[in-house]
Amino acid sequence: MEVSLGAIPFDLDFHPSSPLVASGLINGDLHLYRYAARKHNQRVILTGSPDCSILATDVETGKTVARLENAHEEAINRLVNLTDTMIASGDDEGCIKVWDTRQHACCNSFDAHEDYVSDLTYVPDIVQILGTSGDGTLSVCSIKKNKVQSQSEFSEDELLSLAVMKNGKKVICGTQTGALLLYSWGHFKDCSDRFLGHPMSVDTVLKLDEDRLISGSYDGVIRLVGILPNKIIQPLAEHSEFPIERLAFSSDRQFIGSISHDQMLKLWDLEELLNTPQENNQEENEAVQADSDDDDDDEMDIDIAPPKSSGSKRKKSGNGGSSSISSFFDDL
């Protein structure tokens, strides 16, 4: 499936159970597509915007259900689903917020970064959010303790994407220069390995399994990447040299969706991609490892065990008392 979106897309996500895929565009439009004939039961989709609002849209009618004005003080750059009742949002000034639809409130607010929040991922076993930022840092935010639990030192590179792998023992971050930074869980001050296999920025990554991820790069190529040993296994697909903005799995993991600056939304059959023979490309498959450190010599900077799977900044009090927030969730 290929769809011309008519404008540059910023984000992509799939329905958690039904064959629906959504993309948000630079002009403020939201496009929703059904790629199979099956009914769905989700009523709304949530989107974040540079106007600092979070919008709930009815997936059947396309009409606005509710709008939360001034959800952030700065433009919202990232919005992710955590659980059935919680979402997280990150803005252009590094603030990360967690919203609980049961409490009708913002339950956590973290001043985690000094630049835009580029990516967020949730670790449910320990109820923590990991975030990356244009300021070159990786943050670990504890929802239970309502504080930034740990943070890496500033990297010279912007961190753009992340995934938790190796059964929770490694955090992989894509960067502006194309390097993948590998952080050991509990040793977040500095990366333990740098993998220099991508020629341009790694803007999005998807965990395929504990040993492999799928990357989307500024050069328009989607790649299969091995982690420890670090290796570009093979290129999988491309968007004609246009930067890959986001990748996502369908709920059944049958398809992988990609969006690019070529204004196209593409759905790829994952099994076909993985099983398609690729021409031998020595440059693509050459594993480059540098700046490796012995994890055993690192000093622990966080007092938790790694999840079973898959200098802190000052905290900011939750904004749960706003009547506009309560009204927004009441409408949902």
Side-chain angles (χ1 to χ4, degrees):
M1 172 180 168
E2 294 188 7
V3 177
S4 177
L5 299 170
I8 294 177
F10 266 7
D11 208 353
L12 171 75
D13 205 1
F14 284 84
H15 189 282
S17 59
S18 298
L20 295 175
V21 60
S23 181
L25 310 185
I26 192 172
N27 60 7
D29 288 351
L30 172 66
H31 286 199
L32 188 66
Y33 300 95
R34 180 180 287 108
Y35 55 90
R38 183 152 53 92
K39 293 184 178 180
H40 55 88
N41 53 16
Q42 184 180 12
R43 189 162 67 95
V44 299
I45 183 171
L46 300 181
T47 53
S49 170
D51 66 8
C52 305
S53 70
I54 297 176
L55 183 69
T57 303
D58 188 292
V59 298
E60 286 289 350
T61 66
K63 294 182 179 179
T64 298
V65 175
R67 180 190 295 271
L68 176 57
E69 301 285 359
N70 302 315
H72 281 255
E73 295 181 2
E74 302 294 336
I76 298 173
N77 192 60
R78 198 77 178 98
L79 185 70
V80 298
N81 187 66
L82 306 183
T83 69
D84 291 340
T85 58
M86 287 198 304
I87 60 172
S89 53
D91 68 27
D92 276 358
E93 290 297 322
C95 179
I96 299 172
K97 290 187 177 185
V98 179
W99 307 87
D100 192 324
T101 58
R102 297 166 301 181
Q103 299 179 8
H104 295 189
C106 172
C107 55
N108 300 90
S109 185
F110 308 99
D111 286 336
H113 300 281
E114 297 180 4
D115 206 337
Y116 69 95
V117 176
S118 56
D119 204 3
L120 297 168
T121 193
Y122 181 55
V123 185
D125 293 334
I126 51 177
V127 198
Q128 293 183 344
I129 301 172
L130 275 63
T132 52
S133 171
D135 65 8
T137 64
L138 166 70
S139 66
V140 182
C141 300
S142 172
I143 295 178
K144 289 184 176 180
K145 296 180 180 180
N146 195 33
K147 72 175 185 179
V148 180
Q149 184 82 17
S150 185
Q151 190 159 25
S152 71
E153 295 178 351
F154 289 96
S155 168
E156 297 179 356
D157 222 347
E158 295 181 23
L159 303 189
L160 304 178
S161 51
L162 80 156
V164 180
M165 300 182 64
K166 295 293 182 179
N167 296 305
K169 296 179 181 180
K170 292 290 182 179
V171 179
I172 318 301
C173 297
T175 68
Q176 183 71 30
T177 60
L180 291 179
L181 305 187
L182 281 66
Y183 292 86
S184 295
W185 194 272
H187 305 271
F188 290 112
K189 289 301 180 184
D190 196 7
C191 64
S192 58
D193 286 281
R194 292 169 58 90
F195 173 40
L196 308 178
H198 291 80
M200 303 181 76
S201 64
V202 183
D203 298 285
T204 178
V205 294
L206 281 180
K207 173 184 173 180
L208 180 62
D209 52 39
E210 298 302 335
D211 302 314
R212 298 177 298 171
L213 62 79
I214 297 174
S215 67
S217 178
Y218 194 85
D219 65 355
V221 179
I222 301 171
R223 295 175 172 88
L224 181 63
V225 182
I227 299 297
L228 295 178
N230 300 330
K231 181 179 181 180
I232 303 292
I233 299 173
Q234 67 183 52
L236 297 176
E238 66 177 43
H239 271 264
S240 302
E241 300 183 356
F242 286 88
I244 308 293
E245 187 70 30
R246 190 75 62 188
L247 300 172
F249 285 127
S250 61
S251 59
D252 57 6
R253 291 173 70 94
Q254 180 181 355
F255 300 104
I256 182 172
S258 61
I259 52 173
S260 170
H261 289 199
D262 62 3
Q263 304 182 14
M264 297 294 293
L265 162 64
K266 296 185 179 183
L267 295 190
W268 314 84
D269 186 288
L270 183 58
E271 184 176 358
E272 288 185 4
L273 286 183
L274 297 177
N275 293 332
T276 299
Q278 300 287 335
E279 295 182 1
N280 184 34
N281 186 324
Q282 184 176 356
E283 181 178 351
E284 284 282 0
N285 288 283
E286 181 177 337
V288 181
Q289 300 185 53
D291 299 336
S292 295
D293 298 322
D294 186 350
D295 291 347
D296 294 335
D297 294 334
D298 290 341
E299 181 180 353
M300 290 287 285
D301 59 33
I302 187 168
D303 58 355
I304 59 172
K308 297 178 182 177
S309 59
S310 24
S312 300
K313 304 287 184 180
R314 61 182 178 87
K315 67 180 180 181
K316 185 176 180 181
S317 300
N319 188 22
S322 169
S323 60
S324 63
I325 294 176
S326 178
S327 175
F328 173 78
F329 289 114
D330 283 338
D331 290 338
L332 290 184

